[in-house]
Amino acid sequence: MTVMSTPLVATRNLTVRYGAATVLHDVDLYVNAGEIVTIVGPNGSGKSTLLTAILGGVALAGGTIERAPDLRIGYVPQRLVLDPTLPMNVERFLSLPRRVPAAKAREALERAGVPEIGKRQMSALSGGQFQRALLARAILEEPDLLILDEATAGLDQPGAAAFYRRIEEVRSETGCGVLMISHDLHVVMSTSDRVICLNGHVCCEGTPEVVANAPDYRRLFGEGTRGALALYRHTHDHSHTHDHAQDAAE
Amino acid sequence: MLDDFMTRAALAGIGTGLAAAPLGCFVVWRRMAYFGDATAHAAILGVALSLAFSLPVFAGAMIVALIMATIVSTISGRGYAMDTLLGVMAHSALAFGLVGVTFIPGVRIDLMAYLFGDILSVSRGDLAVIWGGAALVIALIGWRWNALLTSTLNEGLARAAGIDPKREQLVLTLALAVVVAVAIKVVGVLLITALLIIPAATVRPFAATPERMGLMAALVAMVSAWAGLRASYEFDTPTGPTIVCVTALLFCLSTAMAGLRRAA
C-alpha cells in the first residue's frame, strides 16, 4: 500500500447543503488501492451523504470529487428494501445490471461465503445471507473500489465480525480499495487501515490507534470505553459548532 | 380482416394489454399506482384541449399526461406527503378536465367514451396509433429493462453501476404517458390504472424472476382483453369495464390458487 500512489477517489473541500442546513463541509478524503478506510461518526454526521456524494447522487455546494479514470465501484447499501411484489432470486439479482455467466455468479457467492443460495428468493434469505448476496454482487464486477454503507446493520456481533473478515479477504485477494461506514467500532479498529471520524467535517483521522486516542473522537464516542463500546450520543460540549441537520443527513 | 369491428377491437385490446402489463410491473414494484391514476386522469384535460384546438385526441392526451407525469415525478423526489399530493392532483386534473370539456362550443361529445373507453369504435387509424404506441413502449422498456430494475431496487446500486436513476424515472414517465394515450380508446381514463396493475398483481405469486412476471402479466392482459370483449358481446355490457372485470376475476383466481398452494 503506497500512500503516494494516485488515489482511487479523492474529495477536496467537499460541501453539501440540504436547503439551509450544511450537512458536510470541507471534507477532504481519499482512498488508495488496497486500503480499508472506515468512516465513523454519530447519527446525522453526514456519513451516508458522503458516500452518496462519492457515488454521484448529491449536488455539491462546493468542493470537488476526483475519481481515478475508469474506476469500477462495487456498492453494498445499508439496507435494500425489496418490495414484496418484486420477485427476485439471488442468481437474477447478481446479473443486475449486466448479465454474468452462471459460473462467475457461483464463484462470487463462494467468495462471499454463501455458495448455496443461488436459486433462493432474495426475500427468503436471512439477514446475514442477504448482506452476503449484496457483497457477492458488489464484487462480481471486480471493482477497484468497494463502498459499504453500514453493511452489517442488523447482523449480530459474530455475524458482523465474519462479514468484515470476508471484506478483508476480498481486499487481499483482489487488491481493491474499501471505503465503508461502520457502527461496529471494535471491528473497525481491527480491520481498518485508516479511520475517519466524521461529524459534518473530518474531526480526526489516522490509523485506528491514533483515532481512538484523539480527543475529538473520544468526545464523540465517550472517554471511559476508549471508543470500543461507543455510545451514539452526540455530546455538545466540544468546541466547534455544527449546524448540520439530523434529518437531512439520514 | 380489419373490416370487422370486433377484430379491430380485439387487436386494440391486445395491443394495449401488451404494452400496459410490463410497464404495470414497474408501477407495482415502485408503488406508483397513484402516480398512474394522476397521469391517466390528467389525460381527460388533454382530451378537452384536443377538442378545443382540433388536435388529435391521442396527441393532446399524451402531452397533458406527460406534463402531469413530469410534475408528479419532480415532486416525488422532495419527500412531501406523496399520497395526499397525488390524490389532490389526480382528482383535480379529472375535475378540471370534465369542466373544461363543457366549455367547448358547438361540440357535443360523449364523455363516457373517454371515461370508460369506446373500444368498439376503434378505426384502422386508431389501431395504427395503438400498435405504434405499444411497440414504442415495449421497445423502450425492453431497452432500459436492466437499468430500470437496478434503479427500482436501490438508487445507490444504480449510481455505482453508472446508471442515472433520474433518467430511468423519466423513461417510465414517458412510457406511462404513451400507454395512457393509447389506452383511452380501449378502457378510458378511469380504468387505465387497472390495466397496469391488476395483470401484474395477478401473476406475482407465480413468478420467480422479474422477467417472467413481465411476460406472464402481458399474457394475462391479452387474454383479459380478448375474453372481456367476447363477454361484453355475449352479455351486452360496456366493453372497457368488462375487460377490467375479467382481469379482476383472474386476480381473485390467482390469489385463491396461491393461497391453496401455500396451505398444501
Side-chain angles (χ1 to χ4, degrees):
Chain A
M1 175 179 56
T2 52
V3 181
M4 296 305 290
S5 67
T6 319
L8 297 171
V9 66
T11 72
R12 209 166 300 282
N13 298 324
L14 183 92
T15 301
V16 175
R17 291 197 189 92
Y18 286 151
T22 302
V23 182
L24 292 169
H25 64 92
D26 300 308
V27 175
D28 288 352
L29 170 152
Y30 65 90
V31 184
N32 289 321
E35 177 180 46
I36 297 183
V37 177
T38 302
I39 303 169
V40 297
N43 287 330
S45 60
K47 303 185 298 285
S48 288
T49 304
L50 180 55
L51 289 197
T52 310
I54 289 171
L55 290 172
V58 175
L60 303 186
T64 56
I65 300 172
E66 274 176 51
R67 292 183 183 191
D70 301 321
L71 181 73
R72 276 203 302 271
I73 295 179
Y75 174 65
V76 179
Q78 177 176 8
R79 217 158 50 98
L80 193 136
V81 185
L82 205 66
D83 197 278
T85 59
L86 177 55
M88 183 71 72
N89 63 28
V90 175
E91 278 178 354
R92 181 65 190 97
F93 176 70
L94 295 179
S95 276
L96 278 176
R98 277 166 281 272
R99 200 160 284 282
V100 292
K104 227 181 138 193
R106 248 197 322 279
E107 189 205 316
L109 286 176
E110 268 163 33
R111 267 161 67 188
V114 278
E116 303 296 330
I117 62 170
K119 296 284 179 208
R120 301 197 29 207
Q121 284 287 310
M122 294 287 288
S123 53
L125 301 180
S126 71
Q129 288 170 329
F130 197 96
Q131 290 310 109
R132 280 154 189 267
L134 293 181
L135 178 63
R137 187 193 160 280
I139 59 181
L140 250 177
E141 298 215 32
E142 289 147 21
D144 310 302
L145 177 63
L146 198 55
I147 296 183
L148 302 98
D149 185 355
E150 288 185 47
T152 57
L155 299 191
D156 58 12
Q157 272 200 353
F163 189 85
Y164 285 120
R165 271 199 304 280
R166 230 0 117 165
I167 304 277
E168 264 189 303
E169 284 162 21
V170 168
R171 186 267 307 260
S172 40
E173 284 164 21
T174 67
C176 67
V178 178
L179 176 63
M180 60 187 187
I181 293 176
S182 181
H183 267 171
D184 307 278
L185 284 187
H186 44 291
V187 185
V188 165
M189 293 304 167
S190 68
T191 54
S192 307
D193 298 310
R194 253 185 323 125
V195 174
I196 292 171
C197 178
L198 191 75
N199 194 18
H201 62 278
V202 177
C203 293
C204 53
E205 67 169 298
T207 61
E209 295 73 31
V210 168
V211 169
N213 290 308
D216 272 334
Y217 175 83
R218 292 172 66 180
R219 272 189 217 103
L220 284 174
F221 291 103
E223 294 278 350
T225 58
R226 312 211 87 202
L229 292 164
L231 296 168
Y232 282 87
R233 204 154 15 101
H234 185 166
T235 50
H236 285 280
D237 57 356
H238 62 304
S239 53
H240 25 239
T241 55
H242 303 291
D243 55 349
H244 54 266
Q246 296 265 345
D247 295 338
E250 288 302 318
Chain B
M1 179 183 93
L2 293 180
D3 292 336
D4 176 21
F5 75 96
M6 282 297 277
T7 310
R8 287 199 303 272
L11 286 173
I14 288 170
T16 307
L18 199 58
L23 177 65
C25 289
F26 282 102
V27 172
V28 167
W29 296 333
R30 296 167 76 109
R31 307 202 164 182
M32 289 165 56
Y34 237 143
F35 184 108
D37 259 346
T39 307
H41 290 183
I44 200 79
L45 198 59
V47 171
L49 292 173
S50 314
L51 294 172
F53 295 103
S54 315
L55 288 168
V57 168
F58 280 116
M62 199 181 103
I63 290 165
V64 176
L66 195 58
I67 292 170
M68 176 60 114
T70 312
I71 293 172
V72 170
S73 65
T74 311
I75 294 172
S76 71
R78 310 268 164 96
Y80 294 114
M82 267 315 279
D83 57 341
T84 306
L85 255 183
L86 282 173
V88 169
M89 294 182 76
H91 299 104
S92 318
L94 186 63
F96 274 106
L98 293 175
V99 170
V101 169
T102 61
F103 280 114
I104 298 158
V107 200
R108 276 202 49 204
I109 59 159
D110 180 12
L111 258 184
M112 290 296 274
Y114 295 105
L115 291 177
F116 297 107
D118 189 12
I119 193 174
L120 298 181
S121 75
V122 164
S123 68
R124 283 164 182 256
D126 292 337
L127 212 49
V129 174
I130 288 173
W131 276 87
L136 181 70
V137 168
I138 290 164
L140 199 59
I141 299 284
W143 172 45
R144 304 306 307 167
W145 184 266
N146 277 322
L148 278 168
L149 263 182
T150 309
S151 50
T152 297
L153 272 179
N154 184 283
E155 296 201 343
L157 281 187
R159 282 196 202 96
I163 297 162
D164 179 0
K166 288 207 187 75
R167 195 183 54 198
E168 304 311 322
Q169 170 79 41
L170 201 66
V171 167
L172 281 184
T173 304
L174 189 68
L176 194 60
V178 175
V179 164
V180 164
V182 155
I184 283 185
K185 194 86 189 179
V186 178
V187 287
V189 295
L190 291 183
L191 291 174
I192 288 172
T193 316
L195 220 51
L196 289 166
I197 289 174
I198 303 179
T202 302
V203 300
R204 170 60 187 99
F206 306 100
T209 64
E211 288 73 26
R212 263 174 255 166
M213 184 161 155
L215 290 174
M216 288 159 75
L219 196 68
V220 165
M222 289 190 290
V223 168
S224 307
W226 180 80
L229 187 64
R230 296 301 315 168
S232 84
Y233 185 78
E234 205 66 44
F235 304 115
D236 194 22
T237 50
T239 312
T242 310
I243 291 175
V244 175
C245 288
V246 171
T247 325
L249 288 175
L250 287 175
F251 172 79
C252 293
L253 192 66
S254 120
T255 309
M257 274 164 69
L260 283 177
R261 205 171 54 163
R262 260 199 311 278

